[in-house]
Every structure is written in C-alpha cells, then in structure tokens.
Amino acid sequence: MTPTTDRREFLRASALAAAAATLHASSPRALAESPQPADSDVRWDKAPCRFCGTGCHVQVGVRDDKVVAIAGDVDADVNKGLLCVKGYHVGLALYGPDRLTQPLLRRGDRFEPISWDRALDLIADRIEANPARFAFYGSGQWTIPEGYAAQKFMKGGLGNNHIDPNARLCMASAVTGFLATYGVDEPAGCYQDLDACDVLILWGNNPAEMHPVLFSRVVDRRARGENVLLIDIGTRRTRSTEFAQRYLEFKPHTDLAIANGIAHLLLQRKTYDAKFVADHCAFRAMSDPPELNGRASTFDEYVKSLEPYTPEYVESISGVAADDIRFLADLFGDAKLKITSLWCMGMNQHTAGTAINSLVHGIHLLSGHFGKPGDAPTSLTGQPSACGTVREVGTLSHALPGGRLVANEDHRKECEALWNLPPGRIHAKPGYHTVLMWEKFCTPSDQGGDVDTLWVQVTNPGQTLPNLHKLFDRKAGLKDKFLIVSDVYPTATTRLADLVLPSALWVEKNGIYGNSERRTQQWFRMVSPPGDARDDCWQTIAVARRLFDRGMAGMKDKDGGFLFETKRDGVEVPIHDWAHYYDVNVDERLFEEYRAFTRKKHKDLAPYAEYVKARGLRWPVVQQADGSWRETRYRFAEFDDPYVAKGKGIQFYHSVSKDDRAQIWFHPYRDPPEVPDAEFPFWLCTGRVLEHWHTGTMTRRIPQLARAVPRAYVELNADDARALGVSNGEPVVVESRRGRIELAAWIDGRGRPPRGSVFVPFFDEMKLVNEVTLEAHDPFSKQPDYKKCAVRIRKRSAE
Amino acid sequence: MHCSGLILTLDRDPVIRATTFECLERWPGLTLGERTEQRVAAALEAEHATAAIAAVEGLRGCPGVVHVDVVFAEVSAPCAAEDSP
Amino acid sequence: MNAQPPSFSAHRLAHLLCAVVVGAAGIGYVVGLRQPVRIQRAGPSESAGAASTSDVIPSTHYAAITDTTAWPNRSFATRVRGLPAPTATPDAPAPVVDASARDAALRARASRRAYAGAPPTIPHAVDARSAAACMACHGDGFVVGSVRAPKIPHAAFSNCTQCHVESAASALGGTTAVATSFTGLESPTSGERAWPGAPPTIPHSTWMRSDCLACHGAGGALGLRSTHAWRQNCLQCHATSWQLDRRPTAGDAAMFWSDVNGEQP
C-alpha cells in the first residue's frame, strides 16, 4: 500500500466515521429518546384561580384527565401572566390523597359509605319534615350558578330565607359601606387604578401576602422608574410594610379616629374639593334607632361633628403622631395627586366595619379623589366569587338576586315574576345571618334553636366561625340536629357532620366566578372529579328534584313545572340525574336565567358565550350599537360608564338620597367591645399568610405550600417575649375568656406586632384560633371582628 | 484529492425514494456508510474542494435526497484547483 | 456522472469556506458529545509580559490620572501572569455537554418544583423582609466553589416571596410530610432539532425565563450550560415555541377574525 492510498483510505474512513457519528447522535431514534417539548400532549385551557378574590387567570395543563401544570395567563388583564405561589400550585389542590369520593353517613363515631340515592333521600326527608327549620350555609367560593341555584331553591322554592354565606365573615361590612355611601354595592374603580395612582394607602391591609399579584402591580412600577408613595396604616409590621415609605402604626380600632382626623383637616384648611362636594355629595349621620341608611345630615352638622378631631386629639386616641395625620391630610388635600385606598379584612372584620368603610369612602369623596383613574377607594375581597356569587346573586339572608332585598315587596314581586312563581312565594322576613344561624343550630330545639338541619357547601365553618366553642362545637351534643357538609376533603366541619357529600372541585366542573373588580369569569370542566364526587350545583338541583317528585309545592313554578326544568329542543333533559347533568351546559342555562336579574342595579352581564371568549368582563357589560359587548372599568364616571347621563361628569345613579349624590358619613370613634385589661393584657389579631388560603383545606395538602408554613404560630413582640421569658419556637398558651390554644412563639417573624399585641394565622385546623376569638359583630353587616380581642399569653412550661 | 463526510437526508415517501440508492451508488467517488431510516452517512472523494462542492450540489439533485449536510471536510490538503485556476 | 465542469468563481470559494466551517462545526459537535471541551483561557498578552522586568508597580502621576485608562495595566498583567493557572474545579464555568450531568441538573431542578414551569421553592432560610436581600445574591448570581446562587431568569419583580417560598420552614421548626397524588408535568430534556446540527428549539416556555444565561450561562448548573454562552443573542438561533409560550392558537385567531367581521363563531 502506497502512502497515498493509505492516506486516502484513512481520510475516507475518517469522513465516514464522522458522518456516521453525527448520524447516530441525532438520528430520529435518538431524538425520540430525548422527548420533544414535554407538553406536546398536554391540553391547555383558561380558568380563574381557585383561591382569592383577585381573580387571576391561570392556564391549566391537562394530560390523561389530570391537571399536570399551571401557567400564568399572559392574556389576562388582571395578572398579565404573573401569579402568586398559591396560584402556581393551585392544580395540586385537586390531588390530596384523602379526597372525599363517596357520600358518607354518620353511624355513632364512624362514617359509613352510602349511595347518592340514599343521601338525597335523607336530605329530602329532613327538609320535607320541616322546611322552615332548614338552613343553607354557602360560600363566596360557590360558583355563580351554584349560588344562584341554592338561592332559587331556598327563597323561591322553600320560601325560606335562611341562606347565608361565609362571605358574611369576610366582606359584609364592605357591602354595607358601599350601600350606605353609594346606594349600590361594589367598587367604582378597578385594578387599573393601581397602575395610575401616585399614592397608595393601605388601611389595615397586607396585600404583599393576601393579594400579592395586585401588590406587585404597584411595587413593580417602581422597578420601572415610576414614583408611587406607599403608606401603610396598620396595627403590625407586615411584608407590605417593608415596601412602604411611611408606616403609621395605630392602636386597634382607632382607624375611625384617623379617618375623622383627615376629614377634620380637609375642612379646617379648606383643602377639600368644594365643587365635587357641591355637585355630587350629600351628608349623612346615624339615625336613632340606628339604621343602615341613617338620616340626612347637613354640611354644617358634618363640620361641627368633626370639630373635636384635631390632629392632637386623634394622636391621643390612635397613637399616630399629629404630624402624620397632617401628612395624610396634605396628601388628600392635593388635588393633583392620584390617591387609591386599599382595604380588606382590617376594615371589614371590625365591629364598626360599616362605619370605617363609609368614612374612608367619605374622605375620597370630600377630597374629590374619586372617579378618575388612580383616584379610588377600593375594597378587596378574599374569596374568588364573594362579589359574583354572594354580593351579586345575593345569597345572603336579607337579599335577592341583582341587588334586591327580601324586605322590599316590589323586589320580591320582580323575583317571583322572573322565576315564574305564584305571588307570595318569597317570604318577606330576612332569614338568619351567619352568626345567628349557627347560634340557632347549636341551641337545643326546646330552647329556641329553631334551625335543625343545616347544609354547608364549599366552606369550612368549623374553623372559620368566631367563638367556635359557642357557635359550632356545641352541635356535638344535640341529637336532633342534622349537619350536611358538601366538601372535597375532611375538614374541621366534617368532624361534626352527619352526612358528608363529596364534591367536584374547580376545573372538575364548569364554573363562573366574579372577582373584586366586578369581573365575571367563566371556565369549563377539564378533568373528571374523583370517584363519586359531584358538582355542588347538581347536588342542590337533585335534592330539589327529589322534593318535587314527592310533590312538594314549593319545587314547582306557578305552571306546575320543576324549578330547574331544563329543555333542549323542547324535550326535558333530566339534569337531576347525574348521568345527564352534562348533557347540556347547566351553567350556561342558569347564568342566562340569572342575567335577567342583573339590569335593575345596572350590573348588566353579557351572554355566557362572551365570557367563554374573554378573560373575564367587568360589569356593567353593555351591548354596543354594532352588537359587540363592552365592559366598564370606571363606574359612575361619564368617560367610561354608559349609564351616566351626558354632561353629568359623575353621577351616582343609585343614590340613597335619590338625587345622584353619594353620601359622606360622619361616624364617631367609639371603643371596641373588648379591650385588653389587667387579666387579659394583649390584643389578639388573626389573619392569613401568603402560602395558605383561608382554612388551608386545599393549601395544606400542597407540599410546596405546607412545607413553607407547616403550622400556625403566634407572632410576639421581642420585648414582650423577653418580659415573658419566652424564646423563639417555645410553646406558649394563648387564652381568652372563651378558649385557649397552644402555639409556638415566633419572635421577629414574618410580621412584627407592636408591644402588647400578638398575631395568629387561622389556616391551621390543628390550631383553631377561633376557639379564642370573639363573636361580637358589626350592627349592620353582622360581620364579626376577628382582628381584636383580649388575650393573655403564658409560657406553657410555667403552667 | 479531497475527502469530505456527508449526511444525506432522504424523503420519507418510499415511492419518491425508489431510485435514490440507484443514483447514489453510481455516483463517482461516493462511499455509502451506515444508514438509518431517513439518513445515510457517506464519504465523498473528489479531485479538489471545488469539485466536492459541485458534487454536493449535484447530489441534491438525486431523486429522494432532501438535504446534503457536509459534516467533515479535509482541510489539510492544499486545494489543487485553487492553486491552478 | 457529474457532467458540469467546475467553475472557479468567488461564489464557489465562499461555498468552500462554508463547507469547511460547517464541517469543522460538525466535528466539534461530535467531539463535544464525547468529551468535555475546555476552553483555553486567554492569558495576558505576551508583549505586555515580556516588556516588564521589574516587580515594582509603576504608579501613575496624579496629574495624569484623568488621562489614564483604569483598565488592567501592564503591572496588573504582570501580576496576573504570575498567578497559578486556573485549575479545573468542578464548577469552573466550562461548557460541558454531558448527558449524565444534564440529567443530574434536571433532577435537582425538578426536586424544587411541583411541575415544569412552577416557581422553584427556596432551599435555604429566607429573611423575606426585602427584595434586596434576595437580589444581593440572585441579582447577578454567583458561583463560589460548590455553592451556586442562580441568577433570576426573569425581569425584576419586587416581591420575591410572592412566588418563591421556603422549602422547609426553618423558623417554624422544619418541614412536615405532605402527601399528594399530584403528578406534575415533567421537565423537557432537550429541544427539537430540525436536522442534525440544527440549533435546538427551546423546549420550555420563555415566560419568566427570558434571561437564558441565568441557567445556561456560566452561573447555570453543570449540564445545563451552553457551549457558547458568549454568543449572547440566543433567540437568534434557538426558536421559542408559540405553543409553549401559550400564544393565541388557531382557534383564537378564528375568533378574532369573526370579531372583525362581526360574526359569531
């Protein structure tokens, strides 16, 4: 072999080897072994997040009938692709290993599985025996069709108004605040205010943890070089405080004095918006006896009432320095600034909740910081459909759909007409509100406890009711009381249930929610519920049908048809039979029926099909001349709200005083019902944490969230801890006049309460802080105050 | 002499591919190596680099050949064609 | 038979150069698959070193400071040249394409996420009082020995703990075991290549992962690092995915179209 041929052979062999190596490195077989983009077999669809009232949209990734991934929805106006840690893990909420999968009936200390058929019969038996002693306890997590069906079943079917939701515990005072001020519920502004405001004031609010996506919407503006002045008016340092330029710490309950102090200075310095007040406002004060809408007042009386609230006087009550009160008044007195106020449970879970809500609206009205993008008093909600299902569908003991009232004869007649019911079917007397409902249920029948069967859907009162010992635990000894609980997991409530019904959760069913900014959001069922779990809405309709089949008159409309009769092409679809429930889109049917109720208060909803296309639409959604549907971002403002008359600028068209004016209220500061004393020297505040949602039944089953905050704790001030001789992590006893719990102390933890106050989150079902809280509530909203009661703290080892 | 290593990507359609190998096997200086369903490794010997490039172009014209990728090129030998145009 | 006589134009020459470059790249790729390639670090220039004969660092006259560039000067170069050569530490930013290292990196990555695309949990205690605390390490990211603080791959958000939470609550006495039957979407292992040697497409959504170099640059986990991180415009060659980025699908487009035409879909 010559050197040349040798070299040629070698080169050819090299060339072939190189080519072959490349061939194998990337052959189709090799490609198949390293999978293609992993989600090529995943189907994605939109849904609003299952958790809070922000109403973020998520994209849900489904494979083989299971949720496998979640992504922020980039097309969603609410969150623009961002989520919080709960939202990112919302899909895991479906997959706790202890999902309830079959109806369970109590037998002594144990539950035995029964059929749905038998379960429905048992409920029908209880209701049939005494329809007036039946009560329905619902939720701001009910979808709109679920709440609407329950509402129709109770008020339109049984003629029984004992239906109330857990939202009574979380936003009832916001509702009464809106009603007393504007004559109609829900915020006028929207989340765009957060993009436009120069000043954001947090009134006892911690959105960094409770509404993180909205909070980021504001603080991320700074990263883009914008100036936003963030003021935290609070009773303890929180994560939100860390982002605030000013932290004004006040003594619990004294926010009333602060609001009055600001109004006092606006008037005294004449920096209020005289034109806005003259054109758009009226004055209101409390009547005797006290009523929600009080009595008409005058500007002069208002000025006089506020006279005592000098900055120094306010400082003496609230502990906020007089100069800081002046600073707040300076801001509100500056017409050039755009000021948004945010609040949530701090102002709502308040024995003067209606008052403080009205006062903060009042400051915005008085100063004219209203009705322009960035100028808004904005109340946030904690549940995904507290607005949609509770406030709009009116699943409250005193309300009817579309902002109507049980006590109003015209409203009842309108509902009877829309539901095709015989006149007089709807009872004129409001039913029991939450605290009263549970008190009656936990009181022996022979002592006036006239609720004996209670059906709970989509909520966990065994953990969230205040003073649990009185309002829940006492049920245990009452043999003739029957508690029905529809839920997805065993909870603190199912512990005392007589009948447990397994429910479908979130994307296991069709649904519609309504968020904090009047946005109605629709989603489709994407996966099957586990085992025999079924939609809550179906459960209600199936019970109604059982009663109808037994001949109960209330389940018939005035033509004798079933209340929930559903036809397709003229033929009835038996939606009460689970096998046929999804033969039609029941959500769509109920929603279209409900839409007719929404026009009265100008909360117009678009047809269901519009919501299928959109990432939610904010009401009023009004049809345009070209047939399209337009949402409304700013209510009462002519530039955006189609219901404001031309040339009016601002028009409060549901005014209490019937003159297109909003009401500026005066409410005096008064001491709260329980204050710390020598025996119980600490303030107790309860609340939430970022990682857990409300009672944690879902989030505590999500490893990433449960590992982040595995158990409840008590936040102690470092000086208090030193005085008590308590070190970090040491078990202490938190005790009130009503109950006690044992918790680990966390000093300099996530939040830092001032001396003399402690904080305990309520998510932990093993540490029920509501055994300690007080059931005292606001006189108008009936919402309890979970934010303050008096406790004492002891080292456990000192016992 | 110039030597290069090639990957030939073939069409999936067997009808179009019917005469591919007939064309390739007759190609001067082309040695076929390992093959997978859609790809064939090959060594190409040509007089000089320019001829090799022309051959690559030509191979693309073979029925059923979708791509020709050059994955190896002999760079040590001087290119005769370039030296004497 | 190739009947066409070869023509010797500049055009052909360009083809030749291309062929050589492609060929070399192909070989480099093949070799790269088999053994780690270490990039030779450029040392100080010979001329700078050769000119220096003294250990004394000549100082710049005060009056001349404004005219003097502050870049590494001759003395700096001298000193650097005297340092021992960088040794191969396990976390030296050497680009490695190694299947086992990649698998290990992906496994470590997956252990902190509920599913592909979930925000990672934090494997250490956090103060959580301010974003500055997070940004101190994760703003630019760093690698020291075996400790790696990955750079944040998305645009700065101010509230880090909104999405990232501790994987074990250190302040609350550690973790609890939580059972779940959830099975998350798996991480993709690699992108698609249209043909051998083609740049792979990006196998994940780029939403919240817009800074490729956070994971694929020198500070990324071994096994995820790019062989060519210095080439900064990643999206020039590596395609994002319309589907993975959840862009509007054909269905949405149809709706848009019908909206425009005033029709109901």
Side-chain angles (χ1 to χ4, degrees), chain A residues 55-58 72-81 217 519 615:
Chain A
C56 297
H57 264 95
V58 300
D73 194 329
V74 183
D75 295 332
D77 180 57
V78 170
N79 53 309
K80 303 177 197 308
R217 191 161 173 163
R519 185 185 293 274
R615 301 292 194 271

Side-chain angles (χ1 to χ4, degrees), chain A residues 33-75:
Chain A
E33 280 165 5
S34 55
Q36 317 219 330
D39 73 351
S40 55
D41 52 351
V42 174
R43 202 171 51 81
W44 294 84
D45 201 358
K46 61 146 192 174
C49 177
R50 175 63 181 75
F51 296 125
C52 80
T54 300
C56 297
H57 264 95
V58 300
Q59 284 282 325
V60 183
V62 173
R63 185 176 60 198
D64 301 335
D65 204 27
K66 299 270 183 214
V67 174
V68 294
I70 297 293
D73 194 329
V74 183
D75 295 332

